[in-house]
């Protein structure tokens, strides 16, 4: 599980010339990574990778958009999708004094003797609207995934709902440190509450991916690679065709 | 009020929901600096404004938010080297020192976050956020080095001219705005490195409010 990597060992501060950068369009190679150093993503490179990512999304109809900031040169990627969640709930009329009651499916199929209480249970699906934003963090020099979710009636999902909804294979890591993994934070452009996948470990798991691709002389789109790792934790998947997205104009 | 009618507490000032995750001094400077103390705010127990405020389900949420700001500040100052070298118990001590108002306990850890290598003249980048109530964007935050290429220490004025030029205009005319940190207006000639070391909030950020000049 990528988010569970050990914390980095302390290093002495590198001199500026050794600091690697991911080159923007027009430069010879998309990556110039010194093998000893971590790969940080500069903002121009972030915007370039997003542009390439967007082109592919438009080709396959994957629904991503770029939202530019009104007051500055920055912006972010965004996508909305709907997901159906199956729930079993009792219909109004079957409630007791304490409020709504949940009946296990087997009980519901029994024919009740008393006509005045019919525990009707229906398997319903709740539609949840997810909105994902990919922003750039200049502090950590990595992309960050922000998202929010609400039911069809506009009710937002709570942090506990989000934690509960994290895919089974990531639950163990989440339970180790939920407050270090997914929390509610203020969206830095919109100022509204969003959930965030903490960026602290991003450089750690992206560095081997980028170094490896450089070794085999293959250009990788940072955003596609990163999103394919972090997205699934919070219900966002990328079609495999993104793996072929070039990182510069070919 | 009946127990079942009470839901999450939240605070408001003159129609503005107050963000609990902002330092209270920042909120006061930004929204009410010209009003007399004590600051009168409204406490709500109903109708939590979901679209405006983060939920605060427990003390853990506050600790997590505080630590995430401290980590972000250190990412800017030291590429996270100082914060990552600390043990979990040091992080806990920083939080507990703040929570329990223990100055020495807090600073025993925080002083390490305020150091920089002898060969440098300051931090790598300065952790700062600039707030104005007139913008949709909640704050301005950018990369800014405390020392210029020629070795000169950058000042508060240099920062504003670079990231928020409308605040400084007109250069020679009367300024329309106040630049406030912790309720005071530092001289624009103050070196930013010094401000970062001495006037940061406990989360290690400089929270700077740009407010209209008071008319009295």
């Amino acid at each position: 599980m990528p988010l569970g990597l050990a914390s980095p060992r302390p290093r002495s501060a590198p001199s500026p010339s050794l600091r690697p950068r991911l080159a923007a369009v027009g430069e010879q190679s998309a990556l110039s990574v010194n093998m000893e150093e971590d790969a940080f993503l500069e903002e121009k490179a972030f915007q370039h990778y997003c542009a390439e990512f967007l082109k592919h999304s438009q080709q396959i109809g994957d629904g991503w958009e770029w939202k530019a900031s009104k007051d500055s040169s920055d912006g972010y990627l965004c996508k909305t999708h709907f997901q159906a969640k199956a729930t079993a709930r009792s219909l109004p009329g079957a409630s007791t004094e304490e409020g709504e009651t949940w009946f296990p499916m087997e009980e519901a199929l029994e024919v009740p003797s008393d006509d005045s209480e019919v525990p009707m249970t229906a398997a319903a699906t709740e539609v949840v609207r997810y909105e994902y934003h990919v922003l750039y963090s200049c502090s950590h020099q990595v992309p960050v995934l922000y998202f929010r979710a609400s039911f069809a009636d506009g009710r937002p999902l709570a942090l506990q709902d989000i934690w509960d909804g994290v895919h089974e294979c990531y639950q163990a890591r989440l339970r180790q440190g939920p407050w270090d993994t997914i929390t509610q934070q203020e969206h830095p452009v919109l100022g509204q509450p969003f959930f965030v996948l903490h960026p602290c470990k991003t450089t750690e798991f992206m560095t081997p991916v980028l170094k490896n691709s450089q070794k085999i002389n293959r250009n990788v789109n940072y955003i596609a690679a990163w999103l394919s790792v972090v997205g699934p934790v919070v219900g966002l998947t990328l079609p495999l065709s993104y793996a072929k997205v070039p990182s510069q104009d070919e | 009020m009946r127990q079942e009618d009470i839901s999450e507490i939240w605070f408001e000032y003159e129609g503005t929901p107050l963000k609990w995750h902002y330092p209270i001094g920042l909120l006061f400077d930004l929204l009410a600096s010209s009003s007399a103390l004590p600051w009168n705010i409204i406490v709500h127990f109903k109708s939590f404004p979901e679209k405006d405020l983060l939920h605060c389900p427990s003390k853990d949420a506050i600790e997590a938010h505080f630590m995430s700001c401290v980590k972000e500040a250190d990412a800017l100052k030291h590429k996270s080297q100082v914060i990552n070298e600390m043990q979990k118990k040091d992080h806990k001590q920083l939080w507990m020192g703040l929570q329990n108002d223990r100055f020495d306990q807090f600073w025993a850890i925080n002083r390490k976050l305020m150091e920089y290598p002898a060969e440098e003249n300051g931090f790598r980048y300065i952790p700062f956020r600039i707030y104005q109530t007139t913008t949709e964007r909640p704050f301005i935050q950018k990369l800014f080095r405390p020392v210029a290429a020629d070795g000169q220490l950058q000042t508060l004025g240099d920062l504003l001219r670079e990231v928020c030029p409308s605040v400084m205009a007109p250069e020679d005319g009367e300024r329309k705005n106040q630049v406030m940190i912790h309720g005071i207006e530092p001289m624009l000639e103050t070196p930013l490195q010094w401000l970062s070391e001495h006037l940061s909030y406990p989360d290690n950020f400089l929270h700077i409010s740009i407010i209209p000049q008071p008319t009295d």
Side-chain angles (χ1 to χ4, degrees):
Chain A
M1 168 60 209
L3 294 178
L5 293 175
S7 46
R9 294 176 300 283
R11 306 175 300 278
S12 55
S15 58
S17 57
L18 284 179
R19 195 170 152 266
R21 31 187 293 272
L22 295 170
V25 73
E27 301 210 21
Q28 274 294 81
S29 63
L31 296 172
S32 45
V33 178
N34 178 311
M35 284 302 176
E36 271 79 62
E37 298 298 332
D38 287 340
F40 290 101
L41 182 67
E42 291 186 358
E43 189 159 9
K44 283 259 176 304
F46 166 78
Q47 290 176 348
H48 168 65
Y49 287 123
C50 286
E52 292 296 314
F53 181 90
L54 214 46
K55 272 192 221 156
H56 186 76
S57 168
Q58 282 157 1
Q59 277 166 17
I60 65 171
D62 197 30
W64 286 92
E65 284 178 355
W66 177 261
K67 297 269 199 233
S69 252
K70 295 177 217 158
D71 55 2
S72 86
S73 59
D74 62 10
Y76 54 91
L77 282 174
C78 107
K79 174 178 172 171
T80 301
H81 82 217
F82 295 86
Q83 227 177 72
K85 262 160 97 139
T87 57
R89 50 195 308 199
S90 57
L91 298 174
S95 49
T96 64
E97 266 164 26
E98 291 87 49
E100 288 232 320
T101 343
W102 294 70
F103 296 98
M105 289 298 286
E106 314 86 83
E107 257 180 68
L109 295 171
E110 287 176 51
V111 177
S113 51
D114 184 349
D115 280 344
S116 65
E117 42 165 16
V118 180
M120 303 215 288
T121 309
T125 46
E126 299 237 48
V127 175
V128 180
R129 176 183 183 273
Y130 287 88
E131 200 182 324
Y132 298 97
H133 291 200
V134 174
L135 276 83
Y136 178 73
S137 163
C138 61
S139 314
H140 298 284
Q141 300 198 273
V142 290
V144 186
L145 184 60
Y146 287 77
F147 61 100
R148 58 184 171 186
S150 52
F151 295 105
D153 58 6
R155 262 181 314 132
L157 267 68
L159 182 58
Q160 191 61 57
D161 296 329
I162 299 294
W163 283 349
D164 292 342
V166 164
H167 196 287
E168 238 178 270
C169 32
Y170 308 115
Q171 278 289 342
R173 169 59 183 90
L174 180 70
R175 276 185 232 120
Q176 264 173 39
W179 293 106
D180 291 332
T181 313
I182 300 175
T183 54
Q184 211 189 18
Q185 280 189 33
E186 183 181 41
H187 190 289
V189 175
L190 301 176
Q192 291 165 15
F194 270 71
F195 297 107
V196 184
L197 204 46
H198 281 223
C200 302
K201 302 279 190 234
T202 301
T203 304
E204 268 187 69
F205 69 75
M206 284 305 293
T207 299
V209 170
L210 298 164
K211 284 183 179 167
N212 188 61
S213 75
Q214 188 189 38
K215 250 198 287 189
I216 61 177
N217 239 343
R218 206 191 124 177
N219 293 334
V220 121
N221 182 297
Y222 189 112
I223 295 297
W226 164 79
L227 204 47
S228 69
V229 173
V230 301
V233 181
V234 293
L236 176 67
T237 52
L238 287 189
L240 286 178
S241 61
Y242 277 103
K244 300 218 193 73
V245 177
S247 56
Q248 62 188 39
D249 295 340
E250 288 180 333
Chain B
M1 290 180 73
R2 290 181 301 172
Q3 185 62 40
E4 56 267 29
D5 288 340
I6 296 177
S7 64
E8 188 169 349
I9 194 173
W10 59 282
F11 309 102
E12 175 222 319
Y13 177 70
E14 291 190 349
T16 305
L18 298 178
K19 298 181 181 182
W20 64 262
H21 64 287
Y22 281 16
I24 190 154
L26 166 65
L27 290 170
F28 181 79
D29 287 346
L30 202 55
L31 302 172
S33 66
S34 49
S35 55
L37 291 175
W39 189 20
N40 290 318
I41 62 178
I42 300 178
V43 182
H44 293 268
F45 294 98
K46 289 207 262 199
S47 311
F48 188 88
E50 300 277 353
K51 297 238 173 344
D52 301 306
L53 296 183
L54 305 184
H55 281 283
C56 189
S58 63
K59 223 161 41 172
D60 290 343
I62 308 177
E63 178 179 0
H65 184 267
F66 172 72
M67 287 312 302
S68 121
C69 289
V70 171
K71 287 181 184 164
E72 185 179 350
D74 203 57
L76 288 165
K77 289 198 272 188
H78 304 117
K79 283 185 158 195
S80 302
Q81 281 162 22
V82 177
I83 196 81
N84 285 344
E85 259 170 33
M86 290 180 181
Q87 295 172 17
K88 262 205 158 24
K89 68 174 175 70
D90 296 329
H91 295 175
K92 212 46 169 174
Q93 185 177 332
L94 198 63
W95 165 246
M96 295 306 282
L98 175 65
Q99 188 198 280
N100 298 327
D101 195 17
R102 295 271 218 268
F103 185 88
D104 293 332
Q105 185 185 8
F106 177 82
W107 271 100
I109 308 299
N110 203 53
R111 65 174 182 80
K112 299 183 211 167
L113 297 169
M114 291 301 178
E115 290 169 351
Y116 50 88
E119 59 273 19
E120 313 285 345
N121 284 329
F123 303 136
R124 182 162 186 252
Y125 297 109
I126 298 292
F128 72 89
R129 288 188 177 159
I130 299 174
Y131 304 81
Q132 287 174 274
T133 51
T134 51
T135 56
E136 186 194 274
R137 184 184 282 263
F139 53 78
I140 297 172
Q141 182 180 343
K142 297 204 167 135
L143 293 180
F144 193 84
R145 292 193 190 275
V147 187
D150 59 5
Q152 290 271 50
L153 286 176
Q154 300 277 68
T155 66
L156 179 58
D158 293 331
L159 173 71
L160 293 169
R161 269 182 288 271
E162 173 75 25
V163 312
C164 211
S166 56
V167 170
M168 299 296 281
E171 283 282 345
D172 47 358
E174 263 205 40
R175 283 231 324 277
K176 297 193 226 111
N177 295 308
Q178 286 184 303
V179 178
M180 191 169 283
I181 312 176
H182 292 295
I184 60 170
E185 290 187 78
M187 286 169 54
L188 297 179
E189 294 81 10
T190 316
L192 205 55
Q193 175 64 31
W194 186 92
L195 286 172
S196 183
E197 288 176 54
H198 301 283
L199 240 68
S200 286
Y201 282 72
D203 62 8
N204 280 229
F205 268 83
L206 279 171
H207 296 283
I208 304 167
S209 301
I210 309 295
I211 51 181
Q213 289 282 356
T215 49
D216 42 35

